[in-house]
Structure formats: structure tokens, C-alpha cells
Amino acid sequence: MAGVSVVIPAFDAERTLAEALASVAAQTVPAAEVLVVDDGSSDGTAAIVAAHPGVRLLRQARRGPAAARNRGVREAAGELIAFLDADDLFLPDKLALQLHALEADRMLAGVCGLVRHELIEPALAGRIAVPAGNQPGLFAGTLLVRRADFLATGGFDEALAIGEFVDWYDRARHAGLRFELLDAVVTVRRIHGGNLTWRERERLAGFTEVAWRAIARRRGGSP
């Protein structure tokens, strides 16, 4: 099957998963398939998936987001892969914009875009600094990548609890793969106390930005 497979890792995601799935269904260019990898949930995550006909549910013992994404890619049928966290949202033209970029440059391995952050739990206001404005979305939730190129790099390192995307991107660039960062918001990252990697994000605030700047310096150019 040609087209896009959307892979959504989910752990105890019943609160936000339905909205994430709705954002995929609202794409102006539809995905070929949607796969939710239930990573050992103990809540109603599976029931949410069951309420969305056509969405594939893959279940596994708790292994973390890197392993869940890798599982989804291995079982995907599409030639292209998009990742979405179960608490985030795609904007309606995400896939359309990125498919156009990949069609325009067949040598690109993948395309990212800008991200907008939204705090959806008011009780956290003042505890964290939510980035203002649109930011470079150099993380899995903005990426559209050719499946063959992703698999050729070995996928995400499942030993990493955080930073697996930065590690993968660095390896991919080192292998000679090319990427484009679109000047358009494609994903909304929603911040709340139950985020899949909330504790790590809070503890390592700014980690991703620092890592990307280091990668850019080593490469002698922009990420």
C-alpha cells in the first residue's frame, strides 16, 4: 500500500487519544492507515481505539515510546510514516504540505515543520514556561519520513528513555539522509500533567533545543 501510515504510541491515553485520532481523520489528504500501539495501558485506551473503525490496535507490554514507535513502523503498510503522540494534534494540512515537499524533492528522506505549544491543564500555569509562538518542531510528532529510510537507520534506540528522536536524527544525518523543515505549523504539542514523558520533559527542560543546536554546530549548518 502506498501512502502514509500514522503511528501513535499510547500509554494510559484515554484522556486525549480521541482528539488525537480526530486530528488525523481531519487531514485534507487522508492517511492510508492509522496504527495505535498500546504500550501496556491500564486504562480505557483500547476502548477508545475500538470506537474508531479502521484504526488498528497493536498491544504490547510496557516498553516505552521508542519501542512502541518502532513496532508501529515494522507493522505499517504505508511507504511513508508520520508519528503522533497520543496527547498531541495534527493541523489539518500537515500531511498535504509534507507530501508536497517530498514530491517536489525525491531526494528528501523526511520533512518536519513548526510546532505550537498549548497548556491544557491550567493548574500547571506558572510551574513551567510554555514556549511562546511557533517553534521549530524537530521531534517525532512533526516528522513525515520515508519508511525505507527510517528502517535503514535502525529506527529509534529503545534503550533511551528520552532523546530518542535526537539520537535517530543525528544518525540519519550522519548516514547522508536529507531533511527539510517547513515554515508552517503542522503539529500542536499539548502540555499537561499526564504527558507520556512529562517527568522527563520537566526534569530536562531545554534538552531537545540544546541537542539540536549541538548537532547543527557539528554539521556546520542548520538542522
Side-chain angles (χ1 to χ4, degrees), residues 46-187:
I48 298 296
V49 177
H52 290 75
V55 177
R56 291 178 58 193
L57 176 65
L58 307 174
R59 307 185 81 163
Q60 63 182 34
R62 183 87 168 108
R63 295 176 57 200
R69 292 191 185 101
N70 286 344
R71 167 90 183 275
V73 174
R74 287 195 302 270
E75 301 208 21
E79 295 175 0
L80 302 170
I81 302 293
F83 299 103
L84 178 63
D85 285 353
D87 41 23
D88 293 340
L89 305 174
F90 283 165
L91 291 189
D93 58 354
K94 179 198 190 283
L95 297 183
L97 291 172
Q98 295 182 316
L99 285 167
H100 178 76
L102 289 177
E103 180 68 22
D105 186 347
R106 297 299 184 94
M107 299 304 293
L108 287 175
V111 183
C112 291
L114 304 183
V115 62
R116 183 174 73 242
H117 295 79
E118 291 184 359
L119 181 65
I120 63 171
E121 192 167 309
L124 295 177
R127 283 186 53 195
I128 59 171
V130 179
N134 303 329
Q135 305 290 326
L138 297 170
F139 72 105
T142 73
L143 177 68
L144 179 67
V145 65
R146 300 187 195 277
R147 180 174 182 269
D149 287 328
F150 181 84
L151 291 174
T153 65
F156 296 120
D157 186 342
E158 299 180 10
L160 295 175
I162 188 171
E164 70 275 5
F165 180 79
V166 175
D167 170 77
W168 172 82
Y169 183 86
D170 193 28
R171 286 187 282 113
R173 288 291 301 268
H174 185 71
L177 299 184
R178 291 180 51 239
F179 299 86
E180 181 177 342
L181 177 63
L182 299 181
D183 186 22
V185 179
V186 297
T187 303

Side-chain angles (χ1 to χ4, degrees), residues 4-55:
V4 178
S5 295
V6 178
V7 174
I8 303 177
F11 172 68
D12 288 349
E14 65 178 0
R15 175 183 174 187
T16 58
L17 180 57
E19 292 172 290
L21 290 171
S23 78
V24 177
Q27 291 298 293
T28 56
V29 174
E33 64 173 354
V34 182
L35 303 91
V36 174
V37 184
D38 185 345
D39 191 40
S41 296
S42 59
D43 67 354
T45 292
I48 298 296
V49 177
H52 290 75
V55 177

